[in-house]
Amino acid sequence: MLKKWISILLSLVCAVTACFCLHLQAQQQELAAHMIRLHVVANSDDPRDQSLKLKVRDAVLRETEKAISAEDPEAALAESLNAIRNAAQEVLLSEGCEDSVTVKLGKELYPTREYDNFRLPAGVYESLRVNIGKAEGHNWWCVVFPSLCLAASAQDLEQAAQAAGFSDGQIRLITDAGEGYEVRFKILELLGQLKNFLWDA
């Protein structure tokens, strides 16, 4: 009889955990539907390559300003890929670097990331990826739409998020330090790693 009750209890715990995980995934997917991440990968970890990565990032952000203010930012970015690549390439050439640049727009798995005014949970996001040269160096991750990474204050961040269609709950999710966000984000990161493992298997 005891074994039966233990089995029932374990089943209930598993069911509750599964529901909680599904709820967290749904939250992340709703959040991801309102943003396009930016992923700039340096040629290498050499200090010069890392410095060039930041200059390329700045050029990319300047080039994407018009696209992200369009009615359909994703479509506008897709049409601007060549212009974005050219802007990045020009920066490298002006610095005496002949590394090639590739730019693409597509789905990408991101880990949990913490920024000055906000944090983003791990998960799959639409991503503008910029690879410099061999793309073997450290990354620079942020958000191209909405312009969360350029927000100078918490108020600017909230306004940018609201303009992009974030709900109050989604804004709290990325800005609140309380409510056990570390645990929730860690669970999402583990789920993402599991998905990635299953996709690659």
Side-chain angles (χ1 to χ4, degrees):
M1 189 68 175
L2 181 60
K3 287 183 178 179
K4 181 181 177 181
W5 281 109
I6 290 174
S7 177
I8 291 171
L9 181 60
L10 287 174
S11 296
L12 284 173
V13 169
C14 289
V16 170
T17 302
C19 288
F20 181 63
C21 289
L22 287 172
H23 172 67
L24 288 178
Q25 276 195 305
Q27 279 188 311
Q28 185 276 324
Q29 288 167 357
E30 288 173 8
L31 188 67
H34 294 288
M35 66 173 55
I36 302 170
R37 303 287 294 267
L38 176 60
H39 189 182
V40 183
V41 189
N43 176 59
S44 75
D45 285 335
D46 179 85
R48 173 171 159 75
D49 284 341
Q50 288 296 310
S51 175
L52 287 173
K53 173 190 70 177
L54 298 179
K55 291 179 179 180
V56 165
R57 171 205 64 188
D58 293 342
V60 168
L61 289 172
R62 284 193 299 271
E63 190 61 38
T64 59
E65 281 181 9
K66 291 180 182 177
I68 63 174
S69 62
E71 188 174 334
D72 186 345
E74 186 177 343
L77 282 173
E79 292 175 3
S80 304
L81 293 182
N82 283 336
I84 294 168
R85 187 192 68 79
N86 291 340
Q89 199 74 67
E90 284 176 15
V91 166
L92 293 179
L93 290 173
S94 71
E95 295 288 331
C97 175
E98 296 184 0
D99 287 342
S100 61
V101 177
T102 60
V103 179
K104 66 178 182 178
L105 193 61
K107 300 292 184 187
E108 193 170 0
L109 178 65
Y110 281 77
T112 297
R113 297 294 297 174
E114 296 247 5
Y115 301 97
D116 290 340
N117 296 326
F118 69 102
R119 71 199 61 82
L120 292 173
V124 176
Y125 293 82
E126 190 67 26
S127 177
L128 178 66
R129 183 181 175 110
V130 181
N131 286 344
I132 304 170
K134 296 178 181 177
E136 295 177 349
H138 277 90
N139 313 298
W140 188 85
W141 278 308
C142 209
V143 184
V144 69
F145 173 80
S147 300
L148 301 183
C149 294
L150 301 180
S153 67
Q155 185 175 358
D156 292 339
L157 175 76
E158 188 168 332
Q159 289 173 349
Q162 286 174 339
F166 284 38
S167 68
D168 290 342
Q170 288 166 341
I171 293 172
R172 284 196 303 273
L173 178 67
I174 67 173
T175 58
D176 283 355
E179 300 180 11
Y181 84 88
E182 298 97 335
V183 174
R184 292 184 312 213
F185 281 20
K186 188 62 180 175
I187 290 171
L188 281 169
E189 188 155 5
L190 291 172
L191 287 171
Q193 290 170 355
L194 177 61
K195 275 187 177 179
N196 203 35
F197 173 77
L198 294 174
W199 285 343
D200 292 342

